[in-house]
Amino acid sequence: MNRRNFIETTALAGGILALPVDTLSDILPKKKPSHVLIIGAGFAGLAAAYRLKKAGVKTTLLEARNRIGGRVFSYKVPGVENQVIELGAEWVGASHERVIALCKEFNLTLFNNQFDTHLIYNGEYKKAGSWDFSPEMNAFWNKRREIWANMSEKQKATLDNMDWWRYLSKMNLTERDMDLRELADSTDFGEANRHVSAYAALAEYAESSDKNEMDLKIQGGNDLLASKMADAIGRENILTGKKVLSVKQDKSGVTVTCEGGETFTAERLICTAPTYSVMKINWDPILPSNTTDGLNSLQYARIGKFPVVFKERFWGSENFDCLTDGPGHYFYHGTKDQPGKQGVLISYATGDKADVLNAQNPERRLQLILDSLKPAFGDVSKYVQGETKYYWGKDPYSYGAYAMYGTGQWLGLMPELKKPHGRVLFAGEHLADWQGFMEGAINSGEEAAENML
Ligand SMILES: Cc1cc2nc3c(=O)[nH]c(=O)nc-3n(C[C@H](O)[C@H](O)[C@H](O)COP(=O)(O)OP(=O)(O)OC[C@H]3O[C@@H](n4cnc5c(N)ncnc54)[C@H](O)[C@@H]3O)c2cc1C
């Protein structure tokens, strides 16, 4: 008996009755719904509601937090006027068509948020333009789009069964190349290269803009797009502080119960919660065991943002960012081109480094962060005005920044998690081609809405 059969058999033996999926399809209304419930008011939920509103469908968004935006979380720098930093999503990619189109529709300004990457490696500081990978590494990098374009489906499936570190290790690159790829790529994936599907990694690097979608940002804060979408949907349809605990569906519709006992009923539901939160919801009928297996196996990247407010921008260039092999990991100027003398450098740490920084008391954390910058700037403690942090690895709704597809998971797992469950459709960044991006969240929300229409 394989593991899946085992779970199904034991569930039935234990008296837990799972309605089979074909029974669920009987209760699916064939016509366009007039009212849809949406779990989550992040970009996926807001995009779904906005699309449905345009089609004349009423929506009610239930959001557990006391704010909208989810993993888009803009933050006014305390003690500094008119400066905003991003504690969640930072960059809008040049290829992110829907985000760019929505910004245009709502008259939001996108400004250049590209950086020139400096390097601190093995105690040495190299300015942007004065360091590089080996010629072998550069040759592969320059050919990555071509390699991807010429791959057969079978080769892609093989690639998905391999991790990104293993894939790179087959190329006889130097140890330094491997170290630098680790520093750079783990900022993208949020975990070490050894954990990431080589398919997911190569696809992202082959299809992304030259700066890997680290191109633009919304003036005034990325959450302005959430705010504009909310206005267009109608704020009265977005209820915050409503944590969904259970979803029950039958022939008459779908009923959702929130913490505190309040219930909401509609014909259909779109669930945009990250997988950790999907698992916490009590589903009646229960989710199929394949879906539960998938939810249990998908990991989310541990990313921490540890911003330090400095009295002056001692790093010189507005376009400063820096990869380091210290615990501060990757630094970037979070207040690029914003007014004021002060500036914020954000230490963006991933995986174990993020766990370690998060676990320290503020003084010790600050010390570790400043130490990472020492080879470049010496002791900069005299410039410190304040520090803060947001650690997504312990966010109560996602327990991670974004999904991290490991070996064998991209092709196998995502289709499973995307399957509808009766009247319920699932959406969210973890189910999109542009996975891990705001664009992916919007695409998935709009796709779910389209499917209901
Ligand atoms: C540190 C970090 C850096 C990032 N950098 C970038 C970047 O540079 N560029 C980019 O494009 N993207 C970036 N992202 C990714 C981007 O933020 C996400 O892809 C996107 O915001 C996810 O949107 P979503 O709607 O799928 O999920 P979410 O934003 O998580 O929305 C889901 C919502 O569901 C709510 N919810 C969960 N459970 C329940 C429940 N039971 N009841 C009610 N509500 C519930 C949650 O509170 C949440 O608000 C980053 C993310 C992080 C965290």
Side-chain angles (χ1 to χ4, degrees):
M1 188 185 294
N2 67 27
R3 196 169 140 252
R4 194 154 289 136
N5 290 340
F6 173 77
I7 291 169
E8 273 165 3
T9 312
T10 47
L12 286 171
I16 308 164
L17 194 62
L19 268 188
V21 175
D22 51 350
T23 309
L24 270 177
S25 66
D26 289 348
I27 67 171
L28 191 60
K30 300 285 178 277
K31 59 178 180 39
K32 177 174 126 180
S34 58
H35 184 201
V36 174
L37 295 174
I38 298 177
I39 301 178
F43 272 28
L46 292 166
Y50 186 42
R51 177 68 193 93
L52 288 169
K53 158 113 189 181
K54 281 183 169 170
V57 178
K58 177 181 160 55
T59 55
T60 305
L61 285 91
L62 302 167
E63 168 54 56
R65 299 178 208 260
N66 288 320
R67 60 171 182 86
I68 61 166
R71 283 171 275 166
V72 176
F73 187 13
S74 309
Y75 179 77
K76 290 199 180 350
V77 180
V80 186
E81 246 180 85
N82 296 327
Q83 287 191 359
V84 179
I85 55 170
E86 301 298 336
L87 295 179
E90 175 82 29
W91 289 273
V92 174
S95 322
H96 293 170
E97 291 171 11
R98 286 302 297 145
V99 181
I100 293 172
L102 285 167
C103 286
K104 205 165 164 204
E105 187 176 334
F106 292 120
N107 286 322
L108 294 172
T109 305
L110 283 162
F111 70 95
N112 179 295
N113 200 35
Q114 292 178 332
F115 294 94
D116 302 321
T117 306
H118 303 242
L119 175 71
I120 296 172
Y121 177 65
N122 200 16
E124 252 192 285
Y125 175 51
K126 298 271 186 201
K127 291 198 169 178
S130 70
W131 67 276
D132 208 345
F133 291 91
S134 69
E136 290 75 21
M137 180 69 226
N138 284 334
F140 159 66
W141 206 248
N142 294 335
K143 270 180 68 182
R144 68 195 189 282
R145 296 184 207 281
E146 199 185 318
I147 295 171
W148 177 248
N150 291 324
M151 262 187 180
S152 67
E153 292 308 308
K154 193 163 175 264
Q155 284 170 318
K156 285 180 179 170
T158 309
L159 197 62
D160 193 34
N161 284 326
M162 195 188 293
D163 67 79
W164 182 231
W165 179 88
R166 177 74 61 194
Y167 179 78
L168 294 171
S169 75
K170 285 171 184 281
M171 279 181 233
N172 292 325
L173 301 170
T174 64
E175 219 169 273
R176 181 176 177 277
D177 277 333
M178 291 297 281
D179 286 351
L180 299 190
R181 280 256 67 90
E182 181 65 43
L183 292 179
D185 301 348
S186 63
T187 62
D188 291 331
F189 305 118
E191 291 287 343
N193 290 348
R194 287 169 203 248
H195 297 307
V196 177
S197 150
Y199 174 98
L202 189 60
E204 181 168 330
Y205 290 132
E207 290 170 358
S208 291
S209 64
D210 283 345
K211 285 273 185 186
N212 195 30
E213 307 304 333
M214 294 163 79
D215 297 307
L216 305 158
K217 184 164 154 174
I218 300 174
Q219 193 144 35
N222 290 334
D223 70 349
L224 287 179
L225 181 53
S227 192
K228 293 283 185 187
M229 283 197 277
D231 289 343
I233 293 160
R235 297 266 175 178
E236 67 285 4
N237 300 314
I238 305 174
L239 309 177
T240 54
K242 303 283 178 206
K243 181 176 176 184
V244 172
L245 297 184
S246 73
V247 174
K248 183 175 167 52
Q249 50 179 321
D250 56 28
K251 283 202 160 74
S252 65
V254 53
T255 301
V256 153
T257 305
C258 294
E259 207 166 50
E262 205 175 347
T263 61
F264 298 86
T265 300
E267 289 149 70
R268 302 288 306 266
L269 172 90
I270 297 176
C271 176
T272 71
T275 55
Y276 177 84
S277 291
V278 175
M279 281 190 296
K280 288 278 174 189
I281 293 171
N282 186 8
W283 296 91
D284 178 7
I286 62 170
L287 297 171
S289 56
N290 285 0
T291 309
T292 313
D293 282 355
L295 292 169
N296 281 328
S297 64
L298 185 63
Q299 271 295 347
Y300 276 51
R302 291 167 296 165
I303 300 179
K305 285 208 178 180
F306 305 99
V308 182
V309 187
F310 291 101
K311 291 174 198 151
E312 46 186 277
R313 302 177 186 186
F314 60 83
W315 48 90
S317 159
E318 286 296 293
N319 303 343
F320 175 82
D321 76 353
C322 187
L323 279 171
T324 83
D325 55 1
H329 194 163
Y330 168 64
F331 288 86
Y332 70 93
H333 180 193
T335 46
K336 179 182 153 156
D337 294 329
Q338 294 191 34
K341 201 165 161 238
Q342 296 98 329
V344 179
L345 280 189
I346 299 184
S347 152
Y348 185 108
T350 67
D352 291 344
K353 289 181 194 171
D355 258 347
V356 169
L357 281 184
N358 179 61
Q360 311 304 313
N361 66 40
E363 292 74 32
R364 211 174 130 60
R365 180 168 47 250
L366 185 62
Q367 201 51 57
L368 288 170
I369 290 171
L370 298 186
D371 280 352
S372 302
L373 288 169
K374 240 179 202 158
F377 304 108
D379 179 8
V380 290
S381 54
K382 64 174 185 277
Y383 298 116
V384 173
Q385 182 169 318
E387 65 103 43
T388 185
K389 69 162 183 170
Y390 198 91
Y391 183 40
W392 289 92
K394 294 214 166 141
D395 175 81
Y397 297 103
S398 57
Y399 277 91
Y402 36 78
M404 193 221 48
Y405 281 85
T407 50
Q409 290 192 324
W410 186 274
L411 298 176
L413 194 55
M414 197 190 277
E416 201 56 58
L417 295 178
K418 262 181 134 165
K419 280 188 185 157
H421 183 54
R423 293 173 179 268
V424 181
L425 291 184
F426 295 96
E429 62 77 24
H430 59 292
L431 301 179
D433 280 353
W434 279 114
Q435 185 265 311
F437 291 104
M438 294 179 274
E439 178 78 2
I442 288 174
N443 293 159
S444 76
E446 290 179 340
E447 191 183 316
E450 286 298 337
N451 285 342
M452 282 192 177
L453 298 171

